[in-house]
């Protein structure tokens, strides 16, 4: 499939699958692109997609970006899910260790230049791993942030040069939690402590009543995305 054919296929499938279930989108993704991967952050949306993938294509690759700065609860969730499903999550690490980052850029880079920290610990490793695949699956939802409002269930990811599937794009937070409860899915316990969105420990705080669900990410900064999506 050349680029023109791929873009036309994406346009058609985006329209065709707009009202499809998450399971139908996942099946389309894994059936069409055998060389596909799922990016898992062990947040609520992603544990749902792990469960769906295990029912449809348990052999599909699942990776996570190990920034070295995740909460203990996130690593515990990873280990519990690996044991429950018999998954070997692919660990993708930054080129710089935390100590090497300090030596190159100073202490607590995230407080000085959060974008650069995200580029080192997330964007570069993601670019590296995605270069090995033809398509990827993500857990983004349209109502998470204005930057995600126009996400399609099937789209071309120009940033990374591959097809991107967002099976939960039309879901609400309530949809996510209904699935978790109904299917007894393991989830990060930080969600029970006012963390609707979980990122690195140094850049994530609890969200207070009335705040935007993404307010806990890079608090006090106008940054709303780590650079993985757009």
């Amino acid at each position: 499939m050349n680029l023109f054919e791929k873009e036309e296929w994406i346009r058609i499938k985006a329209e065709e699958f707009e009202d499809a279930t998450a399971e139908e989108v996942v099946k389309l993704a894994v059936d069409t692109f055998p060389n596909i991967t799922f990016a898992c952050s062990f947040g609520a949306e992603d544990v749902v997609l792990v469960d769906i993938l295990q029912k449809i294509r348990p052999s599909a690759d699942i990776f996570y970006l190990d920034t070295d700065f995740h909460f203990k609860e996130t690593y515990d969730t990873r280990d519990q899910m690996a044991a429950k499903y018999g998954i070997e999550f692919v660990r993708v690490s930054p080129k710089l260790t935390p100590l090497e980052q300090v030596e190159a850029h100073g202490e607590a880079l995230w407080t000085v230049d959060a974008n650069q920290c995200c580029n080192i610990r997330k964007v570069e490793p993601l670019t590296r791993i995605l270069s090995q695949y033809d398509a990827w699956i993500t857990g983004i939802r349209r109502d998470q942030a204005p930057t995600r409002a126009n996400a399609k269930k099937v789209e071309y990811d120009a940033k990374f040069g591959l097809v991107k599937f967002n099976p939960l794009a039309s879901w609400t937070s309530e949809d996510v939690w209904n699935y978790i409860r109904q299917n007894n899915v393991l989830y990060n316990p930080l969600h029970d402590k006012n963390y609707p969105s979980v990122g690195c420990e140094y850049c994530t705080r609890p969200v207070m009543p009335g705040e935007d669900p993404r307010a806990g990410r890079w608090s006090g900064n106008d940054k709303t995305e780590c650079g993985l999506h757009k």
Side-chain angles (χ1 to χ4, degrees):
M1 204 185 294
N2 61 38
L3 183 57
F4 176 78
E5 292 171 333
K6 188 178 292 183
E7 289 177 343
E8 182 64 10
W9 181 90
I10 291 168
R11 185 189 65 77
I12 292 170
K13 293 303 179 184
E15 293 179 3
E16 183 182 340
F17 279 77
E18 173 55 29
D19 296 322
T21 66
E23 289 84 355
E24 289 169 337
V25 176
V26 168
K27 190 172 189 312
L28 170 71
V30 298
D31 285 350
T32 308
F33 297 95
N35 186 32
I36 192 170
T37 189
F38 167 49
C40 182
S41 67
F42 304 105
E45 291 79 11
D46 289 353
V47 299
V48 165
L49 284 169
V50 168
D51 191 73
I52 291 174
L53 264 173
Q54 293 312 292
K55 294 171 181 175
I56 295 174
R57 188 65 55 83
S59 62
D61 287 355
I62 304 176
F63 75 88
Y64 70 101
L65 300 175
D66 190 352
T67 64
D68 298 304
F69 298 150
H70 289 309
F71 288 89
K72 178 182 183 299
E73 290 88 342
T74 300
Y75 290 116
D76 289 345
T77 302
R78 174 202 60 188
D79 294 343
Q80 291 164 13
M81 295 195 76
K84 176 179 178 178
Y85 296 109
I87 300 172
E88 185 174 347
F89 293 107
V90 177
R91 178 176 181 261
V92 182
S93 301
K95 289 182 177 179
L96 297 182
T97 67
L99 179 57
E100 288 170 338
Q101 180 168 305
V102 168
E103 292 171 346
H105 303 285
E107 294 280 354
L109 177 60
W110 53 90
T111 66
V112 179
D113 190 341
N115 286 324
Q116 185 177 23
C117 191
C118 282
N119 282 335
I120 293 169
R121 312 215 71 78
K122 291 185 175 183
V123 179
E124 188 283 326
L126 180 67
T127 303
R128 193 177 349 120
I129 186 70
L130 289 185
S131 69
Q132 303 173 28
Y133 294 92
D134 299 320
W136 69 312
I137 299 170
T138 86
I140 68 173
R141 295 186 293 104
R142 292 170 187 153
D143 70 357
Q144 287 174 322
T147 50
R148 302 180 180 188
N150 297 317
K152 294 180 171 59
K153 293 186 179 179
V154 187
E155 57 188 11
Y156 183 69
D157 191 331
K159 181 169 186 174
F160 298 108
L162 71 176
V163 183
K164 182 177 182 179
F165 293 89
N166 306 309
L168 308 185
S170 62
W171 282 32
T172 63
S173 178
E174 185 177 359
D175 292 330
V176 172
W177 286 101
N178 283 340
Y179 184 98
I180 288 172
R181 288 188 289 266
Q182 291 166 9
N183 294 275
N184 195 30
V185 177
L186 282 166
Y187 65 88
N188 194 323
L190 288 172
H191 291 310
D192 293 332
K193 300 177 181 179
N194 299 318
Y195 287 84
S197 175
V198 182
C200 292
E201 184 172 9
Y202 301 118
C203 297
T204 311
R205 66 162 175 81
V207 172
M208 298 298 103
E211 286 189 306
D212 183 275
R214 296 282 292 181
R217 304 293 296 275
W218 307 285
S219 185
N221 192 314
D222 59 3
K223 182 176 172 64
T224 59
E225 291 281 1
C226 52
L228 305 186
H229 305 289
K230 306 302 180 187

